[in-house]
């Protein structure tokens, strides 16, 4: 000190504490979800979310995130299930549905198919069931199978191996019938909130009425609904309703065999109604399917030759809700691009299914042997863009398998609540 009151040296400077590095584990939930929202597909999200409990909990506990992810990422098609050929057509082949995967470049989607049981080995290896299964429907990641020899139905999820559930068809649905009675193929309804729940709906008709039988996975029991009279049925046939698994936004549809009317069932109220088909859909050469747009709105997709059109439900000038033409487009140019010279082997398109804003089409040639291989295509209904899937003989029903949101990533309801260690 020079004068006894001032220090000659300043005190040592305190070192600034270095910030700790940011790691994935230190991210907040909101930031983590924003990162996961940018993953390319549902399959990639599933692999990432199941990496640790924190990530799974973040995804499973956020309905808002699931809604945003679905808006940004279309549910991916994994492939098509084909109904087994009849015994008369292929007596040497096993009576089991076949699966053809869609050719995707996404490695996570390919891994999901490889890891699943799409050959349905679990049900083939079941010791108490005959190996004779037809596929009736495919929704919400589940497939609905029927064993004709044992009058048994089964619902299983190929991505969750060995998750099959068996139940018998109801015998009470025929009670009180008038004359000849027919049971149509069952339809599968999946829960929008709880992916572990489903319903199976069977339609039965006699000479002039219809009724529904509903199986609930929640109760494990069938509910038999009353007979309902329907108008304008064809008078000269006992089989006056066609088999169908068409559904859209909670409505099920069956077409009259004369292609003049269709029966609708509102599954929220279990009320039947009958509606006349639009004029040009009555054409026997018109192929059409009722389904949903990507936003869930009901639509009809039809094909005449190489023209594909979309009809939607709208209110007319009289305040009546009807099916009205939304748009139609000829696909000749796009078919030239995806098929090249192979296009000239065909002269029409058939609509085989409509799911989540996509129509699945098959090329065909009128009056040609049905063993001629067809090209299966997907059509995005929003952009009307065509994509080639694969070639296969079109000799049986087709059921698209679209990857669904897995139960393991939904934890905001009681039947699958999040638990520590899961």
């Amino acid at each position: 000190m020079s004068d006894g009151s001032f220090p000659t040296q300043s005190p040592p400077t305190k070192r600034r504490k270095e910030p700790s590095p940011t790691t994935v584990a230190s991210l907040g939930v909101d930031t983590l979800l924003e990162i996961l929202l940018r993953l390319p597909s549902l399959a990639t999200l599933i692999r990432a979310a199941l990496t640790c409990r924190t990530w799974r909990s973040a995804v499973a506990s956020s309905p808002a995130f699931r809604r945003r992810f679905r808006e940004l990422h279309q549910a991916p098609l994994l492939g098509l299930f084909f109904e087994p050929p009849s015994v008369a057509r292929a007596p040497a082949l096993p009576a089991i549905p076949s699966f053809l995967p869609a050719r995707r470049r996404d490695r996570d989607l390919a891994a999901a198919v490889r890891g699943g049981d799409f050959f349905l080995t679990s049900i083939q290896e079941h010791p108490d069931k005959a190996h004779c299964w037809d596929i009736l429907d495919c929704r919400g990641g589940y497939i609905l199978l029927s064993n004709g020899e044992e009058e048994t139905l089964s619902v299983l999820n190929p991505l969750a191996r060995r998750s099959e559930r068996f139940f018998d068809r109801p015998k009470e649905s025929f009670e009180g019938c008038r004359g000849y009675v027919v049971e149509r193929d069952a339809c599968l309804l999946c829960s929008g909130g709880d992916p572990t729940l489903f319903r199976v709906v069977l339609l039965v008709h006699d000479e002039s009425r219809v009724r529904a039988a509903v199986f609930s996975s929640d109760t494990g029991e069938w509910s038999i609904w009353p007979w309902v009279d329907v108008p304008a049925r064809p008078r000269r046939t006992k089989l006056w309703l066609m088999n169908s698994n068409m559904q859209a936004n909670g409505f099920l549809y069956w077409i009259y065999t004369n292609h003049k009317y269709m029966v609708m069932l509102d599954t929220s109220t279990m009320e039947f109604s009958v509606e006349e088909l639009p004029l040009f859909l009555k054409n026997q050469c018109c192929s059409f399917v009722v389904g949903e747009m990507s936003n869930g709105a009901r639509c009809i997709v039809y094909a005449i030759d190489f023209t594909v059109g979309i009809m939607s439900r709208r209110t007319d000038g009289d305040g009546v809700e009807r099916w009205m033409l939304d748009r139609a487009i000829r696909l000749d140019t796009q078919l030239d691009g995806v098929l090249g010279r192979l296009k000239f082997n065909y002269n029409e398109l058939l609509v085989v299914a409509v799911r989540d804003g996509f129509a699945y089409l098959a090329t065909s040639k009128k009056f040609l042997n049905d063993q001629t291989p067809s090209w299966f295509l997907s059509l995005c209904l929003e952009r009307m863009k065509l994509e080639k899937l694969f070639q296969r003989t079109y000799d049986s029903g087709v059921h698209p398998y679209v990857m669904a949101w897995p139960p393991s990533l939904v934890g905001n309801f009681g039947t699958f609540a999040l638990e520590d260690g899961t």
Side-chain angles (χ1 to χ4, degrees), residues 212-372:
V214 182
F215 177 84
S216 169
S217 64
D218 191 24
T219 64
E221 297 179 350
W222 287 95
S223 299
I224 311 299
W225 290 79
W227 288 101
V228 177
D229 287 293
V230 294
R233 72 167 186 85
R235 297 293 181 183
R236 298 182 179 180
T237 177
K238 296 178 180 178
L239 299 172
W240 53 276
L241 277 182
M242 300 170 64
N243 259 327
S244 171
N245 64 358
M246 295 189 296
Q247 64 172 274
N249 200 14
F251 287 82
L252 302 179
Y253 298 86
W254 295 267
I255 309 300
Y256 281 32
T257 53
N258 62 7
H259 281 251
K260 293 183 178 181
Y261 298 88
M262 64 180 173
V263 173
M264 298 178 293
L265 174 62
D266 184 345
T267 59
S268 63
T269 62
M270 296 306 295
E271 293 182 352
F272 283 100
S273 59
V274 175
E275 188 172 64
E276 187 174 3
L277 285 175
L279 182 61
F280 61 90
L281 295 186
K282 297 178 182 180
N283 184 350
Q284 296 283 348
C285 296
C286 176
S287 168
F288 70 91
V289 171
V290 184
E292 294 179 351
M293 302 294 287
S294 58
N295 62 0
R298 291 182 284 167
C299 67
I300 293 177
V301 180
Y302 71 87
I304 301 175
D305 299 329
F306 286 152
T307 296
V308 173
I310 303 173
M311 304 189 73
S312 58
R313 298 287 291 184
R314 296 203 297 267
T315 303
D316 63 15
D318 298 326
V320 179
E321 189 180 68
R322 301 181 184 276
W323 291 106
M324 298 185 184
L325 182 63
D326 185 67
R327 60 190 182 274
I329 182 174
R330 286 193 63 84
L331 296 179
D332 298 73
T333 302
Q334 290 197 59
L335 286 169
D336 287 335
V338 298
L339 296 182
R341 294 182 178 180
L342 296 173
K343 172 194 168 186
F344 299 103
N345 295 329
Y346 312 97
N347 56 18
E348 68 173 349
L349 291 171
L350 302 176
V351 184
V352 299
V354 178
R355 299 280 195 283
D356 304 318
F358 280 82
Y360 298 95
L361 313 172
T363 59
S364 179
K365 189 167 185 178
K366 299 172 186 176
F367 314 116
L368 195 67
N369 187 295
D370 63 1
Q371 294 300 312
T372 302

Side-chain angles (χ1 to χ4, degrees), residues 7-25:
T8 57
Q9 296 180 349
S10 59
T13 304
K14 292 183 179 181
R15 290 186 178 182
R16 181 179 296 177
K17 187 175 181 179
E18 295 292 333
S20 58
T22 300
T23 64
V24 174

Side-chain angles (χ1 to χ4, degrees), residues 362-397:
T363 59
S364 179
K365 189 167 185 178
K366 299 172 186 176
F367 314 116
L368 195 67
N369 187 295
D370 63 1
Q371 294 300 312
T372 302
S374 297
W375 281 99
F376 286 85
L377 314 154
S378 68
L379 177 68
C380 174
L381 299 179
E382 182 177 350
R383 297 177 296 158
M384 297 302 280
K385 182 179 180 181
L386 202 62
E387 181 183 352
K388 181 172 63 176
L389 298 177
F390 47 71
Q391 190 179 34
R392 186 192 187 276
T393 300
Y394 182 27
D395 56 3
S396 59

Side-chain angles (χ1 to χ4, degrees), residues 20-71:
S20 58
T22 300
T23 64
V24 174
S26 64
L27 294 176
V29 172
D30 292 341
T31 303
L32 174 63
L33 292 179
E34 285 297 323
I35 294 173
L36 295 178
L37 196 65
R38 288 158 174 78
L39 293 177
S41 71
L42 176 59
T44 306
L45 172 68
I46 293 171
R47 293 188 67 182
L50 296 182
T51 301
C52 64
R53 284 185 297 172
T54 301
W55 290 17
R56 176 191 173 270
S57 176
V59 173
S61 60
S62 176
F65 171 81
R66 295 197 298 275
R67 183 175 60 254
R68 291 179 63 197
F69 194 91
R70 286 168 173 152
E71 292 173 352

